[in-house]
Amino acid sequence: MRRVPYARSGQIIGLLGGSFDPAHGGHAHITREAMKRFGLDRVWWLVSPGNPLKAKGPAPLATRLAHARRVMQHPRVTVTDIEAHLGTRYTAQTLAALKQRYRGTRFVWLMGADNLAQFHLWQDWAWIMENVPVGVLARPGDRISARMSPAARLYRSYRISGRASQLLGRSDAPAWCFVNVAMTAESSTAIRAEGKWTPSSDL
């Protein structure tokens, strides 16, 4: 079995990173919307070994991977633990390693509007903006804070309008696009709080 995903030169691949603790229908929904809105050939779910911004560790990686693959079954979506193989911990490190490994492939970093609101807290966040196009999908209650965030204000002149979102994947960084999509209210935090997710659970 291939340990890292395959990509052809020239492909446009969206990257959705996170702990996926657990993955749920909301992740699948924004993935399908991202493929449609940003003109992506494929999307990779980067299931991380752990989130550096969270003090408590997630469920075991193998458990999260297996569950994510049950949640997201789509011929153009790959669920991968490539960060564990690359040995990277932060998003900027992962993106730099992927750009080195997959020369000729065009990557687009995908995030929810809640992440854009605190993007300036990420390690080397400006490097990410300068090197990889970013697609932002609105989540309930996060539109205003995201659009007023330090990252959005600093890079406002590089924003692609939602009406031209299909251009994002073929644009050179810095470039970012904010699109409003109908979102589900599902949340990994809520699922854990309700006791519906344990390392042995099968949602």
Side-chain angles (χ1 to χ4, degrees):
M1 181 176 179
R2 180 179 288 273
R3 302 292 291 177
V4 297
Y6 169 77
R8 296 193 312 273
S9 179
Q11 279 189 316
I12 303 172
I13 298 179
L15 302 173
L16 184 66
S19 57
F20 295 96
D21 187 32
H24 52 71
H27 292 126
H29 173 66
I30 65 171
T31 297
R32 290 189 294 267
E33 287 294 321
M35 282 193 289
K36 179 173 63 178
R37 300 292 291 274
F38 299 132
L40 308 175
D41 295 316
R42 300 189 62 84
V43 171
W44 295 354
W45 281 15
L46 307 183
V47 183
S48 66
N51 186 337
L53 295 181
K54 294 183 179 180
K56 185 178 179 181
L61 178 57
T63 300
R64 290 181 284 124
L65 271 173
H67 179 69
R69 286 169 177 153
R70 289 192 293 269
V71 169
M72 187 74 252
Q73 298 186 33
H74 190 287
R76 291 164 54 201
V77 179
T78 300
V79 177
T80 176
D81 61 347
I82 192 172
E83 285 184 304
H85 299 287
L86 294 173
T88 55
R89 179 170 174 81
Y90 294 96
T91 298
Q93 296 172 341
T94 298
L95 291 173
L98 290 175
K99 285 168 67 69
Q100 177 72 22
R101 187 182 190 109
Y102 296 94
R103 294 184 180 274
T105 301
R106 301 185 70 93
F107 290 110
V108 175
W109 182 254
L110 304 173
M111 67 169 73
D114 57 334
N115 281 324
L116 180 62
Q118 51 96 54
F119 193 43
H120 59 288
L121 300 177
W122 292 25
Q123 179 166 299
D124 297 328
W125 68 273
W127 183 94
I128 298 172
M129 292 293 290
E130 294 283 345
N131 286 272
V132 182
V134 176
V136 184
L137 299 108
R139 295 182 61 177
D142 291 313
R143 291 178 175 89
I144 295 177
S145 61
R147 286 175 170 167
M148 296 301 292
S149 68
R153 292 200 308 269
L154 184 61
Y155 287 93
R156 61 182 176 272
S157 62
Y158 297 100
R159 180 180 172 186
I160 295 172
S161 72
R163 292 186 299 275
S165 60
Q166 290 281 328
L167 299 176
L168 183 65
R170 299 205 173 276
S171 298
D172 293 328
W176 65 286
C177 184
F178 186 105
V179 295
N180 292 307
V181 296
M183 305 292 282
T184 71
E186 288 181 90
S187 158
S188 297
T189 301
I191 291 171
R192 292 195 304 272
E194 293 169 4
K196 296 180 179 178
W197 170 244
T198 64
S200 61
S201 69
D202 186 3
L203 294 177

